[in-house]
Amino acid sequence: MSRSPDNILLRFSAEQEQQVREIFAQLEKRGFPAQHQTPHITITFSPSMSDAVAQRAAELLPDLIPACFQRVGTIVFGTKRKQTVAWLLETTDALEMAAREISAVNPDGRGPRWTPHLTMGLRLPREIVPDYIRALDELASAQLRELTACRAALWKPRLQELTLLAGDMEHNGRD
């Protein structure tokens, strides 16, 4: 398995993070694969994040955090055997434009593109995806319609290093 990339990401309050983890636990109790990722919204990622990208994020994000996101749908990423199920999110125009600018500065990024989402099922076998989405809808239909990103950070998994770029230090967890 390849090493996880560096990420500029948005993190939630401990309370909202726990609510997402409870949904993961309920899905696992129903027989679906365990989800161990820390809930977050990725702005951009790179095998090794450049200082220029982190610096631009530190300039743009403080005025935009905390940021509200609305859950507007469920999406599936991937076309092969393993797929990812995520909640599609929408946020303010200002944060959308800032995220696109940060992504555009990243030489390893996708240009000025950003699809805000919260991964709810990572690398699931393709054949279970429809049942997973159905169970996720049953468990979370009325929960977490709105999420609030309380902080932005640079996460370097190979160093287990989280650098706060914007927001509070309420939670200094690992991804």
Side-chain angles (χ1 to χ4, degrees), residues 159-174:
L159 303 174
Q160 295 291 293
E161 179 182 283
L162 186 74
T163 304
L164 187 70
L165 302 172
D168 64 43
M169 276 301 286
E170 167 196 337
H171 178 77
N172 191 15
R174 294 186 172 152

Side-chain angles (χ1 to χ4, degrees), residues 12 20 38-41 85-89 116-121 147:
F12 307 108
V20 173
T38 297
H40 68 278
I41 300 167
V85 172
W87 283 339
L88 182 63
L89 305 171
H117 66 278
L118 174 57
T119 297
M120 295 303 294
L147 296 153

Side-chain angles (χ1 to χ4, degrees), residues 78-98:
T79 57
K80 296 184 179 165
R81 176 152 162 55
K82 298 284 186 174
Q83 298 184 334
T84 294
V85 172
W87 283 339
L88 182 63
L89 305 171
E90 287 184 351
T91 189
T92 63
D93 290 344
L95 182 54
E96 177 90 22
M97 289 185 287

Side-chain angles (χ1 to χ4, degrees), residues 7 12 26 29 38 51 54 60 67 90 96 101 106 113 116 139 158 165 167:
N7 282 273
F12 307 108
Q26 291 172 10
K29 281 182 188 168
T38 297
D51 291 341
L60 291 173
E90 287 184 351
E96 177 90 22
E101 183 175 333
N106 180 3
R113 287 189 287 289
L139 292 168
R158 71 189 177 286
L165 302 172

Side-chain angles (χ1 to χ4, degrees), residues 8 10 43 56-65 95 98 102 152 166:
I8 292 182
L10 303 175
I43 291 179
R56 192 63 184 136
E59 292 166 5
L60 291 173
L61 296 174
D63 291 340
L64 303 171
I65 303 296
L95 182 54
I102 293 162

Side-chain angles (χ1 to χ4, degrees), residues 20-30 35 139:
V20 173
R21 288 182 188 281
E22 286 170 13
I23 294 169
F24 291 164
Q26 291 172 10
L27 287 163
E28 186 177 0
K29 281 182 188 168
R30 290 188 180 198
Q35 298 296 306
L139 292 168

